[in-house]
Amino acid sequence: MQVGSSGTSLQSQLQALENAAIGQYQASQNFSLLLQTGGNSSTSSNSSGSSSSSSSSSSSSSPSSSSGASGYQLSGSFTGGSVIAVGTMNADGTMTPFSPAQVQSEEDLANNARQSAYGNALQNFMALSQAAGGQINSFTDQESFTADNGLVGGNYDTSLSLKPVGGGVPSTAT
């Protein structure tokens, strides 16, 4: 997706990409994104799968050639899944189901954690990218969570990359 920004500064371009990436969030499925300022690109796709990983964040940066760049391209993917309890097991092997309100509450907790994991990863990546002058090539964030006394849990992986595209070097001025 082509993203407009209010200026050519690094800050304005990264803010435009972050805002557009927030809009690419898909609540019910894994997805990929491809966004660009100052060029032509348009992609958002769905994928399926789940991940299991421990909670950690990491980033790697290395200089990339920004010669001739007038914009930035943000690409990435978000995958993950959650598990909720729907009842309790009795000693005789039967299950006592939770009320619909309890199940809905657990689903809401999982959905909120999913959206928060994506938003946090995106915000952290953009802050690091701005601090590094747009030179962070890739970023991976894995978040695991449990809630409601262990009745809800999940793992979410966000992978993002940023690269310069186009014709003149963007200004780093704010």
Side-chain angles (χ1 to χ4, degrees):
M1 171 191 299
Q2 177 68 30
V3 177
S5 65
S6 60
T8 59
S9 74
L10 174 63
Q11 180 180 5
S12 66
Q13 290 191 51
L14 294 183
Q15 186 62 55
L17 285 171
E18 183 178 351
N19 293 341
I22 289 292
Q24 296 293 306
Y25 175 77
Q26 297 174 24
S28 61
Q29 55 197 344
N30 297 330
F31 61 92
S32 298
L33 59 98
L34 179 60
L35 303 167
Q36 183 172 311
T37 62
N40 294 319
S41 181
S42 176
T43 301
S44 178
S45 64
N46 305 325
S47 59
S48 61
S50 63
S51 63
S52 59
S53 59
S54 61
S55 178
S56 66
S57 296
S58 65
S59 66
S60 62
S61 63
S62 60
S64 61
S65 173
S66 59
S67 173
S70 66
Y72 285 92
Q73 183 181 82
L74 173 68
S75 59
S77 64
F78 180 83
T79 59
S82 59
V83 176
I84 65 168
V86 294
T88 56
M89 294 301 293
N90 301 317
D92 63 1
T94 61
M95 185 183 84
T96 303
F98 290 154
S99 70
Q102 173 68 24
V103 171
Q104 184 62 54
S105 173
E106 292 178 14
E107 288 177 349
D108 291 345
L109 282 170
N111 291 336
N112 289 342
R114 176 183 166 89
Q115 188 167 10
S116 178
Y118 177 67
N120 289 342
L122 185 61
Q123 185 177 35
N124 290 339
F125 177 57
M126 290 307 190
L128 288 170
S129 294
Q130 184 171 336
Q135 298 300 308
I136 294 183
N137 292 346
S138 64
F139 176 89
T140 302
D141 181 76
Q142 295 100 20
E143 290 193 24
S144 299
F145 83 100
T146 57
D148 202 12
N149 293 320
L151 297 177
V152 182
N155 296 297
Y156 304 112
D157 292 341
T158 308
S159 296
L160 299 165
S161 65
L162 183 71
K163 68 179 184 179
V165 293
V169 177
S171 166
T172 57
T174 56

